[in-house]
């Protein structure tokens, strides 16, 4: 696809965003329905037209449906596959490749919401904590929030502000011990473990930085702390 074809039917502001200099970061602020996703897909096509290999590009969005839609748009523009996925799927792919560095098997299990709930029920039972005191659903939400802020069980316990949070912190610790023994990760771990991996293994981080030269994120304003740290790294 030619550059003229990529830029046709874009208004001046959209065209400026799509053709922004490669070495400079860019944040696009615009209202709903103003063509932000169109800018992302055209930007990917423009970079490829400028000679950037698709291998060096990553598109990130927040839902599987949105990722699939963006992949289709990009494929139609450039006639080749570009890595476009959610934050969690992106980190899962990285962790599958780098699992040994974290002491994980490459075929580690992914615990979904129901799996987490069952595992937390086991933790509460083993610790003799009645569910009327700490409900598995409430514990899961608090643990998930902790992982969104990249807090380990020890860090969570240090920040606990009351007896309830202290109790959940101890449950979080038991829960993590069980996940390790089972060789599993939950959804919160996918981003948290990837950030920890990059923080602790400079060579691995450098390899992925060299691979992913351009990262384009849809709905960037919705990123949480863990997602922001991942992108920053």
């Amino acid at each position: 696809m030619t550059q003229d074809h990529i830029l046709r039917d874009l208004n001046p502001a959209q065209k400026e965003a799509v053709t922004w200099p490669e070495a400079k970061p860019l944040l696009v602020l615009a209202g709903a329905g103003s063509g932000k996703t169109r800018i992302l897909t055209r930007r990917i096509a423009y970079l490829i037209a400028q000679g950037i290999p698709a291998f060096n590009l990553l598109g990130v969005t927040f839902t599987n449906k949105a990722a699939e839609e963006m992949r289709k748009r990009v494929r139609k523009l450039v006639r080749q596959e570009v890595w476009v996925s959610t934050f969690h799927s992106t980190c899962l792919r990285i962790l599958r490749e780098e699992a040994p560095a974290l002491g994980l098997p490459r075929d580690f299990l992914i615990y979904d919401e129901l799996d987490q709930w069952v595992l937390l029920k086991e933790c509460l039972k083993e610790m003799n904590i009645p569910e009327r005191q700490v409900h598995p659903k409430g514990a899961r939400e608090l643990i998930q929030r902790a992982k969104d802020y990249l807090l380990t069980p020890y860090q969570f316990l240090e920040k606990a502000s009351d007896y309830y949070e202290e109790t959940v912190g101890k449950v979080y610790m038991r829960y993590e011990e069980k996940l390790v023994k089972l060789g599993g990760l939950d959804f919160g771990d996918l981003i948290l473990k990837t950030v920890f991996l990059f923080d602790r293994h400079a060579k691995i981080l450098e390899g992925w930085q060299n691979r992913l030269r351009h990262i384009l994120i849809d709905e960037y304003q919705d990123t949480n702390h863990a997602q922001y740290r991942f992108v920053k790294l």
Side-chain angles (χ1 to χ4, degrees), residues 17 61 68 82 101 131 153 183 215 228:
T61 188
E68 179 57 30
V82 176
E131 289 187 20
I215 301 176
Y228 168 76

Side-chain angles (χ1 to χ4, degrees), residues 108-124:
F108 59 81
L109 302 171
I110 304 296
Y111 279 64
D112 63 18
E113 190 171 336
L114 179 59
D115 296 326
Q116 291 174 262
W117 190 78
V118 170
L119 199 58
L120 283 165
K121 278 180 74 75
E122 287 180 15
C123 293
L124 292 169

Side-chain angles (χ1 to χ4, degrees), residues 77-124:
L77 283 168
V78 301
R79 297 290 189 270
Q80 55 183 299
E81 291 296 325
V82 176
W83 186 1
V84 179
S85 67
T86 64
F87 275 104
H88 289 93
S89 295
T90 300
C91 289
L92 174 59
R93 182 167 166 180
I94 292 170
L95 290 175
R96 289 286 187 212
E97 291 192 33
E98 309 293 354
L102 290 171
L104 289 167
R106 280 202 169 88
D107 60 348
F108 59 81
L109 302 171
I110 304 296
Y111 279 64
D112 63 18
E113 190 171 336
L114 179 59
D115 296 326
Q116 291 174 262
W117 190 78
V118 170
L119 199 58
L120 283 165
K121 278 180 74 75
E122 287 180 15
C123 293
L124 292 169

Side-chain angles (χ1 to χ4, degrees), residues 193-211:
K193 297 288 186 185
T194 306
V195 170
F196 286 179
L197 171 77
F198 287 165
D199 272 335
R200 296 167 185 174
H201 298 275
K203 284 291 183 184
I204 291 175
L205 171 60
E206 184 181 359
W208 284 99
Q209 287 173 335
N210 289 334
R211 160 82 188 272

Side-chain angles (χ1 to χ4, degrees), residues 5-6 16 18 49 53 60 101 131 176:
H5 190 69
I6 293 166
E16 182 184 11
V18 169
V60 182
E131 289 187 20
E176 286 299 296

